[in-house]
Amino acid sequence: VISVLYLYYINFSIQASRDSRRLDSTAKSPIYSSFTEVLDGLSCVRGFCYQKMMRATMINYIRESNKTYYLNMLCMRWMEMRVEILGNLSVAGAAVFAVMAKGSIDPALLSLSITQSMDVGIAIGFMLMMMSRTEVLMAAMERIVEYIEDSPSEKSFDKEEAPTSWPSQGAIDIRELSVKYREELP
């Protein structure tokens, strides 16, 4: 019964860990991209006094990331607690068996069974942690493949090249130009 519960918790917790880690890495992506955007355009941010707006945006991204990180940690603690409970149940079962078999089985064998049941619980917990970590790393690889395959690329403009003599007067006259980096920015 305990081994069936171990398998159930392993399957359930690996799926939950993978999904929560995927949410966590998705929530961290805007932090990294916003940070690099701010560093690249630091002179514009300072020039147009957007420090408060960029700070508020970054704090919002970090809040969202912390929520998913907390969810991931809760999933891991849930799994660890269940595995430890099952390990303790197996030790308790071995101890009850040792008490019931008192006198009919060598005490050295009974103590060995209790010790081994403790080691099995620790080994299964470690195996579960390593399987979860492997799944997390595979989710990171999935994300890299997703970026490679699904990322939109820039539009290609097939326009004529400007003549080599352009501009002929050494001046450029720009009228009614409106430029935005992103839609939500002024």
Side-chain angles (χ1 to χ4, degrees):
V1 173
I2 292 177
S3 59
V4 171
L5 286 173
Y6 269 124
L7 290 174
Y8 171 74
Y9 286 136
I10 286 172
N11 288 331
F12 182 79
S13 63
I14 285 178
Q15 289 175 349
S17 175
R18 180 185 334 123
D19 291 341
S20 66
R21 185 64 182 167
R22 185 175 291 135
L23 286 173
D24 186 38
S25 63
T26 302
K28 283 183 182 170
S29 181
I31 294 172
Y32 298 137
S33 63
S34 178
F35 187 71
T36 55
E37 286 175 4
V38 168
L39 286 180
D40 289 342
L42 193 57
S43 59
C44 292
V45 169
R46 287 182 179 161
F48 290 106
C49 298
Y50 287 152
Q51 292 98 326
K52 288 183 181 179
M53 183 187 74
M54 298 309 280
R55 184 179 301 124
T57 302
M58 184 63 79
I59 287 172
N60 188 33
Y61 288 152
I62 291 172
R63 267 194 201 118
E64 293 301 315
S65 174
N66 284 343
K67 288 177 187 176
T68 58
Y69 178 76
Y70 184 67
L71 174 69
N72 189 28
M73 289 295 109
L74 282 177
C75 285
M76 295 303 290
R77 282 304 304 150
W78 182 90
M79 174 194 63
E80 290 169 7
M81 189 176 77
R82 296 310 190 267
V83 167
E84 284 191 23
I85 288 171
L86 289 177
N88 292 337
L89 284 175
S90 68
V91 171
V96 167
F97 176 74
V99 168
M100 294 174 76
K102 183 180 176 185
S104 63
I105 299 178
D106 184 28
L109 289 176
L110 294 175
S111 64
L112 180 66
S113 70
I114 293 172
T115 306
Q116 289 301 314
S117 65
M118 288 173 27
D119 289 344
V120 166
I122 292 170
I124 289 177
F126 182 73
M127 179 192 70
L128 186 56
M129 185 179 66
M130 288 297 117
M131 287 174 63
S132 176
R133 186 169 288 168
T134 303
E135 285 285 334
V136 165
L137 293 174
M138 288 301 119
M141 291 303 295
E142 262 180 32
R143 194 152 163 78
I144 290 172
V145 169
E146 178 184 321
Y147 276 138
I148 291 171
E149 293 176 352
D150 298 336
S151 294
S153 59
E154 294 83 16
K155 294 179 183 176
S156 62
F157 295 100
D158 297 327
K159 292 189 176 184
E160 296 179 19
E161 291 288 325
T164 55
S165 62
W166 183 83
S168 59
Q169 299 174 0
I172 300 174
D173 186 22
I174 300 174
R175 296 181 190 156
E176 299 181 30
L177 175 67
S178 176
V179 179
K180 284 187 177 183
Y181 184 72
R182 274 188 280 176
E183 285 297 321
E184 65 269 8
L185 295 176

